[in-house]
Amino acid sequence: MTVVPKDITTITLPERMDSVTASSVEQTLQAALTRGAKIIVDGSAVVYMSAAGVRALASVLHGAEEAGARVVFCRFSGPAADCLDVSGFSQLLDVAENLEDATARLEPRFGTSASRRLHPRGAAG
């Protein structure tokens, strides 16, 4: 069992990340994005993810950069992991295999921001 330090917030995503749930999930995640926040987004429960779900995660990544927060996504599997891979977002998001790896990535030695790989908001391309 992994014990996540108290200075790290863990948010578990719902079973479906689609047009019905993406907005409320995005709002929940955005609310956690405070300066210096360390957040693990646990995708272990996700069994379905549409493009709306992927967009919500990308928006959170941009918000984290703007807020000076760090976000690591973890434990995606099956169709949800496939969706991230096929869309190319698994290359853009900081995705860990498990909670231990996600926790380790939020330690100070992992200072590279995954959102630098994204186009700035409003940029064409």
Side-chain angles (χ1 to χ4, degrees):
M1 181 171 141
T2 301
V3 177
V4 178
K6 290 182 180 182
D7 67 330
I8 296 175
T9 301
T10 301
I11 299 173
T12 303
L13 298 177
E15 287 184 11
R16 296 182 61 84
M17 285 285 292
D18 55 22
S19 60
V20 174
T21 62
S23 179
S24 64
V25 169
E26 182 178 349
Q27 289 175 3
T28 298
L29 293 170
Q30 292 283 2
L33 297 177
T34 59
R35 176 141 316 275
K38 297 177 185 177
I39 302 166
I40 294 174
V41 178
D42 183 348
S44 61
V46 180
V47 295
Y48 175 78
M49 185 179 307
S50 71
V54 174
R55 280 191 304 273
L57 298 182
S59 176
V60 168
L61 189 60
H62 277 293
E65 182 70 16
E66 292 168 5
R70 307 237 2 258
V71 179
V72 177
F73 300 85
C74 73
R75 303 198 318 169
F76 286 89
S77 63
D82 292 344
C83 182
L84 292 175
D85 287 339
V86 169
S87 68
F89 275 83
S90 61
Q91 302 285 322
L92 300 173
L93 304 173
D94 190 356
V95 182
E97 290 283 323
N98 53 52
L99 285 174
E100 290 172 350
D101 289 345
T103 301
R105 290 179 189 201
L106 290 170
E107 296 301 318
R109 68 180 186 273
F110 287 96
T112 303
S113 172
S115 66
R116 292 184 185 164
R117 294 176 284 210
L118 291 174
H119 292 293
R121 285 190 180 230

